[in-house]
Amino acid sequence: MFATRAFRPATQLSRHARRWASESTQSAAGSNALLYGGAGAGALGLGAWYLNSGAQKADAAPSSKEEEKNIPGKADAPLKVFQGGDQGFIPLVLDKVEELNKNTKQFRFKFDEQDAVSGLTIASALVTKYKGPNDEKPTIRPYTPVSDEDSTGYLDFIIKRYPNGPMSEHVHDMKPGDKLEMKGPIPKYPWQANKHNHIALIAGGTGITPMWQLARAIAKNPDDKTKVTLVFGNVTEDDILLRKQFEEIAKEKPDQFRNFYVLDNPPEGWKQGKGFITKDLLKETIPGPKEENIKVFVCGPPGLYKAISGAKKSPAEQGELTGYLSELGYDQSQVYKF
């Protein structure tokens, strides 16, 4: 069971994790295939909520690119493809596909103008829409891009293929030159440099994508001294998405970034966590609830939410804090569920 499966930390992890977590910076039961493999708890409802939100204008006419360029003070600013959702759905062309593991790929979509940027902020996502020839209604799914917000000309997504998942199967079947409709951004947690002294990122499976948005934004800003601890659960080593990118940051800034990986089926000689993300592991690795100005972010499939933080009440409401974080003494204001 998820709640009782023991975590067996490596000696090095056990020796250093608590020290790392406490040094403040100044200024679903069953297999992990179920716990880490599914979409986030709010994913299925988030797109519909966003489309029906009174704060958004659905299917509004796209804004003129020339008008955007002619706005006073914006002559030298890059064109933003997505601007608060007011532009309606925009079809983007699939440029190339990279296979990451047996069921996950990275998809690059290109913009019409090579010098355009996405317009996304940290942290935010996009809604995708697809209606098949035999579908009565379109399929709507939110995805968090993994490309840098300042990247020009393209947008990258990491998407896992789920059996009978209408959007993920459609995207995985797409070929370069095909188009996918997108709209957004969906604002999530607004980030500012040094907003917190220390943040913990607890993720499972493809729930890593919003965590990468946060970590990347902090790492690229030399003025942001926020300490970052990642706890990432997966089934196998091949399932650790964005591992190279996270480890490059930790190597460059070892006093600021630290990564912990937990695998259900680790390879021989694996030096980090084995089993599930447990309460004992979190107590050893992440900043404690009594430390000053900390924040814990959670993202993953329903089983992970249930065990660690409790599920979101709705895409717009965080819901009650339960699970391990509540048992460890964190309060609602210290936790954010993507």
Side-chain angles (χ1 to χ4, degrees):
M1 299 292 291
F2 187 97
T4 60
R5 183 69 172 272
F7 167 74
R8 301 187 294 277
T11 303
Q12 183 180 11
L13 182 149
S14 179
R15 185 167 62 243
H16 296 297
R18 187 66 252 167
R19 175 181 61 79
W20 164 261
S22 61
E23 289 177 351
S24 64
T25 302
Q26 295 301 320
S27 52
S31 165
N32 276 8
L34 295 176
L35 294 165
Y36 302 142
L44 299 183
L46 184 55
W49 167 82
Y50 175 78
L51 292 176
N52 293 326
S53 171
Q56 305 299 335
K57 299 177 182 178
D59 297 316
S63 60
S64 166
K65 296 178 181 179
E66 291 302 320
E67 288 177 1
E68 171 68 13
K69 288 183 176 180
N70 291 330
I71 294 176
K74 290 191 176 182
D76 298 326
L79 172 70
K80 295 181 179 180
V81 176
F82 298 98
Q83 302 176 53
D86 291 346
Q87 75 291 316
F89 279 96
I90 297 175
L92 295 186
V93 176
L94 179 62
D95 187 35
K96 61 181 180 179
V97 181
E98 178 185 356
E99 186 172 319
L100 301 181
N101 60 32
K102 63 182 182 299
N103 55 21
T104 307
K105 297 178 180 179
Q106 182 162 314
F107 299 85
R108 173 162 294 184
F109 291 87
K110 62 182 180 180
F111 303 143
D112 289 342
E113 297 195 15
Q114 293 185 354
D115 59 350
V117 297
S118 68
L120 271 68
T121 56
I122 304 296
S124 60
L126 290 172
V127 165
T128 60
K129 181 174 74 171
Y130 165 71
K131 187 175 185 295
N134 300 319
D135 296 338
E136 293 184 4
K137 297 181 179 180
T139 295
I140 304 293
R141 292 291 184 274
Y143 289 107
T144 302
V146 296
S147 47
D148 193 294
E149 289 68 37
D150 294 328
S151 297
T152 57
Y154 67 89
L155 196 64
D156 289 342
F157 295 91
I158 289 178
I159 299 175
K160 181 176 181 178
R161 183 171 195 151
Y162 298 103
N164 301 315
M167 182 60 77
S168 69
E169 288 198 338
H170 169 67
V171 174
H172 273 252
D173 288 340
M174 290 178 64
K175 301 292 187 291
D178 292 344
K179 294 182 179 181
L180 183 65
E181 290 189 284
M182 303 183 195
K183 181 180 178 180
I186 306 171
K188 293 189 176 182
Y189 192 81
W191 183 256
Q192 296 175 343
N194 303 303
K195 187 169 185 174
H196 302 289
N197 292 345
H198 192 166
I199 64 172
L201 312 176
I202 305 173
T206 52
I208 195 65
T209 54
M211 309 305 193
W212 173 240
Q213 267 196 353
L214 284 173
R216 184 187 62 242
I218 294 168
K220 68 183 287 188
N221 185 353
D223 296 325
D224 197 337
K225 305 303 180 183
T226 308
K227 183 173 283 189
V228 181
T229 296
L230 170 69
V231 180
F232 190 16
N234 285 284
V235 178
T236 70
E237 191 170 14
D238 287 342
D239 296 322
I240 305 176
L241 303 173
L242 296 165
R243 181 179 184 179
K244 179 181 178 182
Q245 291 88 330
F246 273 102
E247 293 187 348
E248 285 177 350
I249 292 176
K251 184 177 180 180
E252 293 172 2
K253 301 185 177 184
D255 294 330
Q256 189 177 1
F257 290 80
R258 188 69 61 89
N259 306 321
F260 298 105
Y261 306 111
V262 184
L263 298 180
D264 191 32
N265 298 321
E268 185 176 353
W270 178 250
K271 300 298 184 183
Q272 290 208 26
K274 301 175 183 179
F276 300 134
I277 297 175
T278 66
K279 183 167 69 173
D280 288 342
L281 170 62
L282 297 179
K283 187 177 181 179
E284 287 290 328
T285 55
I286 69 174
K290 294 184 179 180
E291 295 183 34
E292 183 180 358
N293 193 19
I294 62 99
K295 195 79 172 184
V296 181
F297 296 89
V298 183
C299 190
L304 183 138
Y305 280 113
K306 181 179 180 181
I308 291 174
S309 64
K312 294 175 68 171
K313 185 176 180 181
S314 74
E317 299 181 44
Q318 288 285 294
E320 181 184 2
L321 179 65
T322 60
Y324 299 151
L325 293 178
S326 177
E327 294 169 13
L328 288 169
Y330 297 87
D331 63 46
Q332 191 111 7
S333 68
Q334 294 175 306
V335 178
Y336 184 85
K337 308 169 191 176
F338 277 110

